[in-house]
């Protein structure tokens, strides 16, 4: 069975600092992994996805994530935080045995300090 | 850019009333989903729909819930007799093909049951 764990319900960083949002997964089959972002009062927008190609995946807004099979991780990073990055970030794993529906992490709220 | 649209953005209803949430998926998409997010909790899968029938549903999707694609463009979620615990944000999503491709989400419909 697939599951996703996001460490830290809230992460606070200073503007210009490194952003690191952690995601670990468990999957009985090779996983497809996603990061979505939810800005206040908006829907879910895809940041990036891993679908068994390159392990380092680049997404929108300067975010990237690295798939590490040995660590069962897919952490999201951005070298320099911007105030506009304040949002909630969700990691998700896709179930290929179930119409590729998404199993979601609990989300991490990213707070940017000026 | 094509997008998934949902109406209403917010609905307040009395317990026991029927509610219909509407979604217009992206026009060439074939796979449709409903998810919900209770305030402060994870995004949860409700149901997936393909070829005019439900392909999978979760334990949450009990007999009080139903989905329909009445006219080839709209995709509706009906809750027959709402309960307090149905209060949540409901997200519609669509995908063009099967496989781990991107799910495109609407902005959500917030349901408040009093």
């Amino acid at each position: 069975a697939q599951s996703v764990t996001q460490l830290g319900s809230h992460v606070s960083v200073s503007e210009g600092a490194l952003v690191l949002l952690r995601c670990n997964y468990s999957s009985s089959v090779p996983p497809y992994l996603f990061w979505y972002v939810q800005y206040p009062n908006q829907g879910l927008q895809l940041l990036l996805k891993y679908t068994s190609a390159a392990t380092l995946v680049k997404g929108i807004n300067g975010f990237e994530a690295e798939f590490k099979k040995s660590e069962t991780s897919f952490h999201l990073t951005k070298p320099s935080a911007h105030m506009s990055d304040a949002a909630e970030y969700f990691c998700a794993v896709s179930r290929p045995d179930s119409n590729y529906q998404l199993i979601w992490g609990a989300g991490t709220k990213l707070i940017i300090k000026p | 850019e094509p997008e998934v649209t949902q109406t209403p953005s917010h609905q307040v209803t009395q317990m026991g009333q029927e509610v219909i949430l509407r979604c217009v998926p992206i026009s060439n998409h074939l796979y449709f989903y409903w998810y919900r997010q209770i305030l402060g909790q994870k995004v949860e899968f409700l149901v997936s729909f393909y070829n005019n029938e439900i392909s999978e549903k979760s334990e949450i999707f009990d007999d009080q819930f139903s989905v329909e694609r009445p006219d080839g463009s709209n995709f509706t979620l009906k809750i027959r007799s709402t309960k307090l615990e149905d209060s949540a944000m409901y997200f519609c999503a669509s995908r063009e093909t099967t496989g781990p491709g991107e799910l495109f989400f609407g902005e959500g419909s917030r349901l408040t049951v009093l």
Side-chain angles (χ1 to χ4, degrees):
Chain A
Q2 283 83 0
S3 68
V4 176
T5 302
Q6 290 184 243
L7 295 176
S9 59
H10 292 76
V11 169
S12 181
V13 303
S14 297
E15 191 174 18
L18 171 71
V19 175
L20 171 61
L21 304 182
R22 299 178 187 275
C23 173
N24 288 88
Y25 69 91
S26 66
S27 177
S28 55
V29 297
Y32 300 115
L33 295 156
F34 303 79
W35 276 99
Y36 279 81
V37 60
Q38 185 180 28
Y39 296 103
N41 300 314
Q42 294 189 27
L44 295 153
Q45 180 182 6
L46 181 69
L47 268 181
L48 48 79
K49 64 182 179 184
Y50 167 76
T51 57
S52 74
T55 56
L56 182 62
V57 182
K58 295 187 185 298
I60 62 171
N61 301 337
F63 285 92
E64 61 183 39
E66 185 171 8
F67 171 67
K68 291 187 177 180
K69 184 178 179 180
S70 61
E71 298 177 9
T72 61
S73 69
F74 190 56
H75 301 332
L76 182 71
T77 60
K78 181 173 179 177
S80 177
H82 192 273
M83 295 300 291
S84 61
D85 294 326
E88 188 146 22
Y89 293 80
F90 294 91
C91 183
V93 64
S94 177
R95 287 185 55 181
D97 60 334
S98 185
N99 288 313
Y100 296 92
Q101 57 139 309
L102 296 177
I103 307 298
W104 298 83
T108 298
K109 184 164 286 187
L110 178 62
I111 300 161
I112 310 296
K113 296 179 291 187
Chain B
E1 184 178 328
E3 59 182 16
V4 176
T5 57
Q6 289 185 241
T7 54
S9 57
H10 188 193
Q11 181 157 356
V12 181
T13 190
Q14 296 291 324
M15 191 169 55
Q17 295 297 304
E18 176 183 282
V19 161
I20 297 176
L21 305 178
R22 291 182 168 78
C23 169
V24 180
I26 295 173
S27 62
N28 63 332
H29 285 191
L30 301 177
Y31 296 81
F32 313 115
Y33 304 79
W34 282 101
Y35 290 82
R36 80 171 185 190
Q37 184 182 27
I38 295 172
L39 187 64
Q41 297 186 24
K42 285 188 179 187
V43 179
E44 301 170 292
F45 168 74
L46 290 179
V47 65
S48 59
F49 191 87
Y50 169 71
N51 200 26
N52 285 319
E53 61 182 21
I54 290 173
S55 44
E56 183 161 3
K57 59 184 180 180
S58 71
E59 292 176 354
I60 303 167
F61 195 88
D62 61 22
D63 291 344
Q64 291 299 312
F65 290 89
S66 62
V67 288
E68 198 175 41
R69 189 160 160 80
D71 56 13
S73 61
N74 289 285
F75 178 51
T76 62
L77 174 69
K78 181 191 288 186
I79 309 174
R80 287 190 183 82
S81 178
T82 50
K83 303 187 283 287
L84 295 176
E85 54 264 38
D86 293 327
S87 295
M89 182 73 91
Y90 289 81
F91 290 105
C92 174
S94 70
R95 172 185 277 146
E96 184 176 1
T97 63
T98 189
E102 179 179 354
L103 270 181
F104 290 82
F105 285 83
E107 293 198 347
S109 293
R110 181 170 296 284
L111 175 64
T112 302
V113 182
L114 302 176

